[in-house]
Amino acid sequence: MSDVLPIIEGIIEGSFGAGPSEWASWLQRCPISIIHREQATIRAILQRHGFAAGVDYLDALLAYSNATRLPDGGFPPTVVMPVHMAAGAMREAARAAEGA
């Protein structure tokens, strides 16, 4: 029996064989709890495939989700904006890789 969750097995066996657009889509749809639990595995897969923009997005998302919230319960812009910027850069890198 494998210790890897089925959603992670899917990226190992399926989505990550497909290409950068699918990898980016998977990262943006993956539940944050899975991102936290499996961050080392996800990082290793992204690095193995040379998807540096995906690693940057993963780092930004982890910083966001671990940030101390503001008194009103919101997140500081210093952790929100990097997630949006990294997501855009990741999508752009995926498009560029597939257009190459």
Side-chain angles (χ1 to χ4, degrees):
M1 176 176 227
S2 174
D3 289 336
V4 178
L5 294 174
I7 192 169
I8 300 299
E9 286 178 355
I11 63 167
I12 293 169
E13 299 168 1
S15 297
F16 271 71
S21 288
E22 287 80 7
W23 308 340
S25 175
W26 184 90
L27 281 168
Q28 291 186 296
R29 290 181 291 110
C30 185
I32 292 177
S33 62
I34 302 298
I35 296 280
H36 274 276
R37 176 181 167 178
E38 301 294 333
Q39 62 183 292
T41 302
I42 295 167
R43 181 180 308 280
I45 293 167
L46 293 169
Q47 289 173 334
R48 185 170 47 248
H49 287 282
F51 195 45
V55 174
D56 291 344
Y57 176 75
L58 177 65
D59 289 339
L61 188 60
L62 289 168
Y64 163 81
S65 62
N66 285 307
T68 301
R69 292 192 283 168
L70 300 172
D72 68 358
F75 288 92
T78 54
V79 296
V80 174
M81 286 307 297
V83 172
H84 294 292
M85 293 169 62
M90 178 176 65
R91 288 189 302 268
E92 182 58 34
R95 281 191 294 271
E98 291 180 350

